[in-house]
Amino acid sequence: MPRFDRHVFVCTNFRAPEAARPSCTANGNSEIHTLMKDGVRAAGLGNRVRVNKSGCLDQCEHGPAVVVYPGEVWYGFVKPEDVPEIVSEHLVHGRPVERLRLPEGCLNTPSCPHRQPPPAKS
Amino acid sequence: MPRFDRHVFVCTNFRAPEAARPSCTANGNSEIHTLMKDGVRAAGLGNRVRVNKSGCLDQCEHGPAVVVYPGEVWYGFVKPEDVPEIVSEHLVHGRPVERLRLPEGCLNTPSCPHRQPPPAKS
């Protein structure tokens, strides 16, 4: 059995509530990760699609964040009820779920509608 | 700033010594991850190359394991002294380090020179 058909990384980073940036989980536990793994297994893809926890993916203002390779498909603001659609559409049929994708303008940017730049130093 | 040029995942999984399979770290701390992050930053790639910890990448008998996207380039048995070469060759110049790649025959297989199948049930 060769490489993975798809490799999913679910951010499980957490920060204290008073931190300067938010984080994708409140305590390191990710329901998204659990549901994604269960969904992949139920779809019979357990050996072909790998679902991993990852450290901070640096899309903190858009979490919970998920990235799928190949293709570097970014999902943001993923809710538990979104997971079955990601599994059935993207992971089974190879069709990314457009409505859940993180807008290109929100990726790796210091400023976007969800992320404000830090205040200028006086 | 758009997508990452390269996205590196370093397995930081750990299991107890008596577990049936080995693991990539002894306690969840990964010198490989730390060195890789430091190396990327020192190379001035901190915004273009992301180095993440990941959960178990399922290459447990070949750890410490690292996978780099795009390309799903797998490295196995990575030693701290290998990291500068991965950074300078692969992450800076885009040339995977062939001598460190996990052989194709070792990837996602129940049996290879490093992994023995579990004993048959009697």
Side-chain angles (χ1 to χ4, degrees):
Chain A
M1 188 166 63
R3 293 155 185 282
F4 296 128
D5 289 341
R6 301 186 204 289
H7 204 163
V8 182
F9 295 92
V10 180
C11 183
T12 61
N13 193 45
F14 67 102
R15 294 189 177 96
E18 62 272 23
R21 296 185 74 185
S23 60
C24 284
T25 75
N27 54 15
N29 294 320
S30 167
E31 187 180 1
I32 305 295
H33 174 262
T34 302
L35 291 171
M36 197 84 79
K37 274 193 92 76
D38 290 349
V40 162
R41 196 176 296 122
L45 292 176
N47 290 329
R48 308 298 312 127
V49 175
R50 185 80 183 166
V51 180
N52 277 120
K53 297 177 184 178
S54 88
C56 175
L57 294 168
D58 204 26
Q59 314 305 325
C60 312
E61 289 76 12
H62 310 96
V66 173
V67 63
V68 182
Y69 286 94
E72 197 183 341
V73 175
W74 286 94
Y75 294 115
F77 309 109
V78 178
K79 297 185 291 298
E81 55 266 35
D82 295 327
V83 173
E85 188 175 352
I86 294 175
V87 171
S88 63
E89 283 297 300
H90 191 166
L91 304 183
V92 173
H93 290 109
R95 300 186 290 249
V97 181
E98 297 299 332
R99 72 176 183 88
L100 298 173
R101 293 181 78 158
L102 199 53
E104 292 284 334
C106 289
L107 202 62
N108 298 333
T109 173
S111 175
C112 77
H114 312 103
R115 182 175 184 181
Q116 302 306 318
K121 291 178 183 172
S122 58
Chain B
M1 188 167 62
R3 294 155 184 282
F4 296 129
D5 289 340
R6 301 188 205 286
H7 203 163
V8 182
F9 295 92
V10 180
C11 184
T12 60
N13 194 44
F14 67 103
R15 295 189 178 97
E18 63 271 22
R21 297 185 74 184
S23 59
C24 285
T25 74
N27 54 15
N29 294 319
S30 167
E31 188 180 1
I32 306 295
H33 174 262
T34 302
L35 292 171
M36 197 86 76
K37 273 193 94 76
D38 290 347
V40 162
R41 196 176 295 122
L45 292 175
N47 290 331
R48 308 296 315 125
V49 174
R50 184 81 183 164
V51 180
N52 276 120
K53 298 179 183 178
S54 88
C56 175
L57 293 169
D58 205 25
Q59 315 304 325
C60 312
E61 289 76 12
H62 311 97
V66 173
V67 64
V68 182
Y69 287 94
E72 197 183 342
V73 175
W74 286 94
Y75 294 115
F77 309 109
V78 178
K79 297 186 291 299
E81 56 267 35
D82 295 326
V83 172
E85 189 176 351
I86 294 174
V87 172
S88 63
E89 283 297 299
H90 191 167
L91 304 182
V92 173
H93 290 109
R95 300 185 291 248
V97 182
E98 297 299 331
R99 72 175 183 88
L100 297 174
R101 291 181 79 157
L102 200 53
E104 291 284 333
C106 289
L107 202 61
N108 298 333
T109 173
S111 175
C112 77
H114 312 101
R115 181 175 184 182
Q116 301 307 317
K121 291 179 183 172
S122 58

